């Protein structure tokens, strides 16, 4: 029953991602064509800031809740998580307010709206923990469709200003939080409830949750900075037009980045429950990594062979310089997929410090190489740097500090070697058919 529920959740979330990718891709193409490279570069800059805010508002609490939910103290756990998210949101609101006062740019007020509603995201966390991702996927799909349609309408109506378009992304997240709150509060019966009557106990749990979330938070912040730092650096060093070229290619792969994170979030609660059976857990991780690599290669190779016609068809001659950028970003996709999916291992095994080490190494390499590559090669240099930094996170840092990552490197080796063996595909068919595989 649980196996079918997990498979159903993964299926729904992958279907959601495919559907959203197609919708958002069509919308992005129209918006980018309408704005042009310079204006789209301005929008991409604020989207990069929004991405960092999303991670800061999450504060690593999603992972803690997914791993810990289901115990007797679930109500107090959710209360503690909501309290911590509220404190984090208040801090971020202050930062956005200061930025707005200093720059007089209304875009920071729009980012402030996201921060104000960020605490409600805890209800989306709970739906994931309760394996209600099918319902969550439906809500996200409807909102993605509405957001994409609204952006196209704004551009067609001559209202496609950077602030207006940024507002659609923020409202999409805000409405998701409010819908999940309403669904959890009124739509389903729950065995837990939020209460602060015994505030001391909730505060004590909050401190425990905070201590566990810190490594997740800093690791996620480093990962998001890794995704966004090249865009911020291009904007500062080369200007909005060059950023528009880079971001137009990045938009074609952005939705793909979320696939490993989504699958990992679905698998995490069940993997955490079974972690005492270490051999079974390692076997499952090996198969998951193998499938992840296979999927990444199957996506990356065809796109790499068609970058020129894809860019011309999507954006037109103005964005022809984005073709090599897309090629190199897709070259790094297998490294990115395995780096994202391997967060599952560190969460299940409680090895957040090791994850932090490799993520910091990747970010450091990314910034250092960008300082050299961007002034000389622009957007293409940033894309090349991205490939190197993704490799460092996926494999390089673990090879350098191999004594810390010996077990994880062995899982990856088994996954890679398994792709060359027929038994891997037999076991995969057993899993897809709902049968018990001898190794998984």
């Amino acid at each position: 029953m649980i196996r079918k529920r997990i498979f159903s959740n993964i299926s729904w979330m992958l279907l959601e991602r495919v559907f959203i990718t197609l919708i958002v891709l069509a919308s992005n193409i129209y918006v980018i064509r309408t704005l042009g490279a310079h204006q789209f570069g301005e929008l991409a800059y604020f989207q990069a800031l929004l991405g960092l805010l999303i991670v800061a508002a999450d504060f690593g609490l999603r992972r803690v809740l997914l791993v810990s939910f289901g115990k007797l103290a679930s109500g107090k756990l959710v209360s503690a998580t909501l309290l911590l998210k509220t404190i984090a949101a208040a801090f971020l609101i202050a930062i956005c307010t200061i930025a707005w006062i200093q720059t007089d740019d209304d875009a920071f007020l729009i980012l402030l709206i996201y921060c104000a509603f960020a605490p409600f995201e805890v209800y989306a966390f709970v739906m994931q923990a309760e394996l209600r991702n099918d319902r969550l996927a439906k809500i996200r799909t409807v909102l993605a469709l509405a957001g994409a349609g609204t952006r196209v309408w704004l551009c067609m109506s001559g209202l496609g200003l950077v602030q207006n378009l940024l507002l659609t992304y923020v409202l999409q997240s805000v409405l998701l939080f409010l819908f999940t709150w309403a669904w959890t509060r009124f739509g389903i019966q729950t065995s837990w409830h939020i209460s602060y009557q015994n505030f001391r106990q909730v505060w004590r749990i909050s401190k425990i949750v905070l201590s566990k979330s810190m490594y997740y938070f800093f690791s996620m912040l480093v990962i998001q900075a890794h995704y966004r730092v090249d865009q911020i650096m291009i904007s500062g060093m080369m200007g909005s037009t060059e950023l528009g070229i880079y971001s137009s290619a990045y938009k074609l792969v952005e939705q793909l980045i979320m696939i490993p994170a989504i699958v990992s979030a679905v698998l995490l609660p069940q993997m955490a429950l079974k972690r005492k059976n270490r051999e079974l857990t390692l076997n499952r991780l090996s198969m998951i990594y193998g499938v992840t690599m296979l999927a990444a290669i199957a996506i990356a190779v065809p796109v790499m062979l068609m970058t020129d016609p894809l860019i011309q068809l999507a954006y037109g001659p103005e964005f022809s310089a984005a073709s090599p950028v897309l090629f190199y970003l897709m070259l790094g996709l297998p490294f990115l997929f395995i780096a994202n999916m391997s967060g599952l291992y560190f969460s299940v095994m409680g090895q957040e410090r090791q994850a932090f080490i490799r993520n910091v190494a990747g970010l450091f390499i990314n910034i250092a190489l960008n300082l050299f590559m961007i002034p000389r090669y622009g957007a293409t240099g940033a894309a090349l740097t991205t490939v190197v930094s993704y490799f460092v996170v996926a494999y390089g840092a673990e090879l350098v500090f191999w004594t810390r990552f010996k077990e994880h490197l062995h899982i990856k080796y088994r996954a890679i070697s398994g792709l060359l063996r027929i038994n891997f595909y037999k076991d995969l068919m057993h899993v897809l058919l709902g049968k018990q595989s001898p190794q998984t």
Side-chain angles (χ1 to χ4, degrees):
M1 180 65 182
I2 294 177
R3 178 187 291 268
K4 290 182 178 179
R5 188 68 184 272
I6 293 174
F7 185 77
S8 173
N9 275 262
I10 293 175
S11 300
W12 267 106
M13 296 196 78
L14 287 178
L15 285 172
E16 171 220 3
R17 182 51 47 189
V18 170
F19 189 58
I20 287 178
T21 297
L22 294 175
I23 294 170
V24 173
L25 179 61
S27 172
N28 284 339
I29 289 172
Y30 186 81
V31 169
I32 292 170
R33 276 180 170 270
T34 303
L35 293 181
H38 184 77
Q39 270 195 302
F40 178 65
E42 294 179 359
L43 176 61
Y45 174 75
F46 283 105
Q47 284 184 288
L49 294 182
L50 176 60
L52 293 174
L53 280 178
I54 289 172
V55 171
D58 181 286
F59 211 72
L61 298 169
R62 181 196 304 268
R63 287 274 183 174
V64 177
L65 193 63
L66 291 180
V67 171
S68 306
F69 194 84
K71 300 177 182 178
L72 293 177
S74 291
K76 293 184 177 64
L77 176 63
V78 177
S79 301
T81 304
L82 179 59
L83 176 62
L84 290 172
K85 280 188 67 67
T86 302
I87 295 172
F91 180 71
L92 295 174
I93 288 172
I95 293 177
C96 290
T97 302
I98 294 170
W100 173 63
I101 293 172
Q102 290 183 341
T103 64
D104 198 30
D105 193 328
D106 291 342
F108 286 104
L109 284 179
I110 296 172
L111 296 179
L112 187 149
I113 294 173
Y114 174 86
C115 299
F117 286 91
F120 287 92
E121 189 181 14
V122 71
Y123 296 98
F125 296 173
V126 172
M127 289 186 72
Q128 283 187 314
E130 294 180 333
L131 293 179
R132 299 183 186 276
N133 292 290
D134 49 350
R135 295 178 178 86
L136 197 59
K138 293 173 184 177
I139 297 172
R140 282 184 174 139
T141 301
V142 171
L143 291 175
L145 179 61
T150 301
R151 286 187 285 277
V152 170
W153 175 80
L154 286 172
C155 289
M156 292 179 65
S157 304
L159 301 173
L161 302 175
V162 170
Q163 288 85 349
N164 291 344
L165 295 170
L166 180 64
L167 181 61
T168 65
Y169 290 103
V170 169
L171 290 179
Q172 197 169 312
S173 294
V174 169
L175 290 174
L176 173 66
F177 302 159
L178 294 178
F179 275 128
T180 54
W181 166 77
W183 188 283
T184 306
R185 181 70 176 82
F186 304 109
I188 58 174
Q189 291 183 344
T190 59
S191 59
W192 55 271
H193 65 281
I194 292 176
S195 174
Y196 296 101
Q197 290 182 349
N198 192 345
F199 186 78
R200 286 186 178 181
Q201 188 174 7
V202 173
W203 181 247
R204 181 177 59 82
I205 295 175
S206 296
K207 290 190 287 186
I208 296 173
V209 171
L210 180 62
S211 67
K212 292 183 177 181
S213 72
M214 291 305 292
Y215 285 113
Y216 293 129
F217 166 64
F218 284 114
S219 186
M220 288 172 58
L221 187 61
V222 168
I223 291 171
Q224 190 61 225
H226 196 164
Y227 292 154
R228 304 296 182 179
V229 70
D230 27 14
Q231 297 180 52
I232 295 172
M233 292 179 73
I234 291 172
S235 177
M237 299 167 112
M238 304 295 290
S240 295
T241 301
E242 192 71 13
L243 175 57
I245 295 295
Y246 180 87
S247 298
S248 64
Y250 189 81
K251 280 294 180 185
L252 295 176
V253 301
E254 188 175 40
Q255 295 296 319
L256 299 175
I257 293 173
M258 297 301 297
I259 293 176
I262 289 172
V263 176
S264 176
V266 176
L267 293 173
L268 181 56
Q270 184 64 17
M271 294 286 287
L273 291 175
K274 300 290 185 180
R275 61 186 161 191
K276 290 184 179 180
N277 189 338
R278 199 173 189 88
E279 183 179 356
L280 177 63
T281 299
L282 297 182
N283 285 336
R284 287 180 172 176
L285 285 169
S286 177
M287 172 163 280
I288 291 168
Y289 287 4
V291 174
T292 300
M293 294 176 191
L294 200 62
I297 294 170
I299 295 170
V301 171
V303 176
M304 289 170 64
L305 295 174
M306 299 186 294
T307 52
D308 285 331
L310 281 175
I311 291 295
Q312 291 290 331
L313 179 65
Y315 302 132
E318 182 182 359
F319 290 88
S320 59
S323 178
V325 177
L326 178 60
F327 179 88
Y328 290 120
L329 289 177
M330 296 307 297
L331 181 62
L333 192 69
F335 302 136
L336 177 60
F337 265 38
I338 200 64
N340 281 352
M341 186 60 77
S342 59
L344 188 62
Y345 167 84
F346 296 110
S347 297
V348 171
M349 299 300 180
Q351 298 183 13
E352 295 83 8
R353 293 188 182 185
Q354 282 84 336
F356 187 64
I357 289 172
R358 65 169 200 161
N359 292 332
V360 168
L363 178 61
F364 176 79
I365 293 295
N366 197 9
I367 294 174
L369 289 178
N370 273 330
L371 289 172
F372 175 81
M373 297 290 284
I374 290 176
R376 291 165 177 79
Y377 305 107
T380 302
L384 277 166
T385 296
T386 298
V387 176
V388 176
S389 61
Y390 286 166
F391 172 79
V392 169
V393 175
Y395 297 101
E398 295 186 14
L399 289 170
V400 172
F401 302 102
W402 67 273
T403 54
R404 288 177 174 266
F405 297 96
K406 193 180 299 184
E407 183 178 66
H408 197 217
L409 284 170
H410 181 64
I411 295 173
K412 290 179 178 178
Y413 171 77
R414 287 177 56 190
I416 294 172
S417 61
L419 294 178
L420 305 176
R421 298 172 184 168
I422 193 66
N423 285 339
F424 168 82
Y425 300 97
K426 289 181 179 179
D427 289 341
L428 180 59
M429 289 304 300
H430 276 292
V431 173
L432 293 177
L433 294 173
K435 301 176 181 179
Q436 182 64 45
S437 168
Q439 294 184 354
T440 59

